[in-house]
């Protein structure tokens, strides 16, 4: 569109020059008048060429194939000349200016439409969600003292492939894991998620534990559920997603039954992500906040996590 605008500007300048020559045409020699006609013919041909660029087709549907006078030529009175050179030039100039105005209007309209279309496309691309994304939506919490979760990796530009459908043998194996029927619906939902995790059906365990936490967020085993959900992601090779659930469980209730486990496994997740600084921060806070667990029930995991880390 910028090229068309420059063409229009050049033609306006050329037409203005022709008008200037025409206004003094009566006092110019014949050679100068011929030069004026030559330049006007050139302007008219360039306008027709630009019309065909702006209005493709050339069949008369979108533009006049030839320049026509803006006003009809009056019939001369008897004894008067049919027209004068200056009158002919002025009529032709009127026609050129009229078509230049039409082209200018069309170029401006097209430019505006394209700008609006590009703006809508850019807004749509920015707002479009990542295809296939199914990450959980944990409750927003303030970060733990001295610790913030690692940032999510930059998504790749290639569209993610759809996960393969589970095989019939896997479906049958999952069905073989019996859901408890103890009469406590909430406890049964958690226990079923634990059994799926224990059987190493990690994606199924993730789905079941999320269902349990959505239905029973205040259940006494909620701390177990959030921690086990993190373990299901960690054991499935997704340390980053696991870290989100460990942080959430620790911050939701630091006195929860599995809050010490979540803080320690947060360090494990950071170590797997090669984030030594955050791993050391989590380990230091674990040893200070849960000294009894660090020396007792969770000592083995604590020692193995510290091994290989150069913490200050």
């Amino acid at each position: 569109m910028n090229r068309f605008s420059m063409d229009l500007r050049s033609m306006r300048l050329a037409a203005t020059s022709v008008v200037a020559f025409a206004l003094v045409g009566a006092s110019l020699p014949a050679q100068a008048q011929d030069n004026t006609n030559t330049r006007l013919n050139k302007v008219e041909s360039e306008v027709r060429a630009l019309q065909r660029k702006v209005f493709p087709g050339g069949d008369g549907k979108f533009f006049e194939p030839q320049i026509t006078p803006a006003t009809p030529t009056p019939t001369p009175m008897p004894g008067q000349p049919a027209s004068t050179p200056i009158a002919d030039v002025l009529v032709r100039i009127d026609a050129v200016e009229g078509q230049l105005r039409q082209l200018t209007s069309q170029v401006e309209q097209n430019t505006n439409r394209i700008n609006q279309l590009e703006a809508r496309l850019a807004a749509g691309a920015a707002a479009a969600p990542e295809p296939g994304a199914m990450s959980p939506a944990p409750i927003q919490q303030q970060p733990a003292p001295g610790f913030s979760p690692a940032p999510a990796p930059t998504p790749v530009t290639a569209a993610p492939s759809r996960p393969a459908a589970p095989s019939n043998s896997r479906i049958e194996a999952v069905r073989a894991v019996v859901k408890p029927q103890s009469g406590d619906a909430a406890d049964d939902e958690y226990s079923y998620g634990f059994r799926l995790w224990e059987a190493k059906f990690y994606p199924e365990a993730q789905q079941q534990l999320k269902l349990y936490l959505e239905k029973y967020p205040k259940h006494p085993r909620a701390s177990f559920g959030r921690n086990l959900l993190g373990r299901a992601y960690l054991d499935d090779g997704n340390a980053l997603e696991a870290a989100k659930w460990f942080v959430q469980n620790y911050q939701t209730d630091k006195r929860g039954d599995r809050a010490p486990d979540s803080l320690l496994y947060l360090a494990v997740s950071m170590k797997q992500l090669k984030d030594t600084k955050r791993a050391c921060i989590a380990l230091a806070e674990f040893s200070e906040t849960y000294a009894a667990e660090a020396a007792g029930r969770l000592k083995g995991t604590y020692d193995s996590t510290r091994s290989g880390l150069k913490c200050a």
Side-chain angles (χ1 to χ4, degrees):
M1 284 303 178
N2 290 336
R3 177 168 54 83
F4 291 150
S5 299
M6 293 174 63
D7 291 342
L8 288 173
R9 182 180 180 186
S10 299
M11 289 183 188
R12 290 195 191 96
L13 293 175
T16 302
S17 299
V18 172
V19 172
F21 276 105
L23 292 177
V24 296
S27 62
L28 292 176
Q31 183 178 359
Q33 294 183 22
D34 291 340
N35 183 52
T36 299
N37 287 329
T38 299
R39 295 183 65 182
L40 183 55
N41 289 336
K42 182 181 179 182
V43 171
E44 290 175 336
S45 65
E46 290 178 349
V47 169
R48 286 195 294 272
L50 184 59
Q51 283 178 314
R52 289 177 174 81
K53 293 180 182 179
V54 179
F55 305 100
D59 56 358
K61 179 179 179 181
F62 299 104
F63 64 90
E64 295 284 341
Q66 298 293 332
I67 296 178
T68 57
T71 58
T73 304
T75 303
M77 297 293 294
Q80 293 181 348
S83 63
T84 63
I86 186 65
D88 291 341
V89 170
L90 290 176
V91 169
R92 293 168 68 185
I93 289 296
D94 288 340
V96 171
E97 289 180 341
Q99 293 204 358
L100 285 176
R101 286 193 297 271
Q102 178 187 6
L103 290 173
T104 300
S105 175
Q106 186 64 33
V107 168
E108 291 175 349
Q109 292 177 14
N110 289 342
T111 301
N112 184 52
R113 291 193 190 101
I114 289 177
N115 290 339
Q116 292 178 352
L117 179 60
E118 290 178 345
R120 287 196 296 269
L121 289 175
E130 253 190 277
M134 295 188 65
S135 58
I139 301 172
Q140 297 295 327
Q141 300 287 340
Q142 295 297 324
F147 176 80
S148 59
T154 303
V156 295
T157 55
S161 58
R162 296 182 61 184
S167 63
N168 291 333
S169 59
R170 184 180 182 88
I171 294 175
E172 292 300 323
V174 171
R175 287 177 178 173
V177 179
V178 179
K179 184 175 182 178
Q181 301 291 334
S182 66
D184 185 338
D187 194 75
D188 290 344
E189 295 289 353
Y190 166 77
S191 297
Y192 184 46
F194 177 84
R195 291 184 180 184
L196 290 170
W197 169 77
E198 191 176 37
K200 302 186 185 306
F201 293 126
Y202 300 126
E204 292 81 0
Q206 295 161 15
Q207 182 179 6
Q208 174 60 31
L209 290 167
K210 286 180 183 178
L211 176 64
Y212 159 71
L213 291 170
E214 289 173 2
K215 293 175 66 175
Y216 308 103
K218 301 298 184 180
H219 189 256
R221 285 184 177 265
S223 179
F224 286 86
R226 286 187 294 265
N227 180 73
L228 188 58
L229 182 53
R231 292 287 303 276
Y233 276 111
L234 186 64
D235 294 340
D236 200 25
N238 192 343
L240 183 62
E241 192 65 31
K244 296 178 183 178
W245 287 98
F246 291 139
V247 168
Q248 181 183 342
N249 191 45
Y250 172 65
Q251 292 176 341
T252 299
D253 184 5
K254 294 183 180 181
R255 295 185 178 181
D257 294 317
R258 286 295 180 263
D261 303 65
S262 289
L263 186 55
L264 179 56
Y265 276 102
L266 175 60
V268 174
S269 301
M270 292 297 102
K271 184 178 180 180
Q272 288 191 13
L273 293 170
K274 301 186 185 304
D275 192 335
T276 302
K277 179 179 179 181
R278 289 185 172 89
C280 290
I281 292 174
L283 282 173
E285 187 165 348
F286 169 75
S287 63
E288 292 175 4
T289 307
Y290 306 108
E293 283 80 357
R297 179 173 64 89
L298 298 174
K299 185 178 186 304
T301 304
Y302 174 65
D303 290 341
S304 64
T305 305
R306 280 180 54 89
S307 176
L309 290 177
K310 296 181 180 180
C311 298

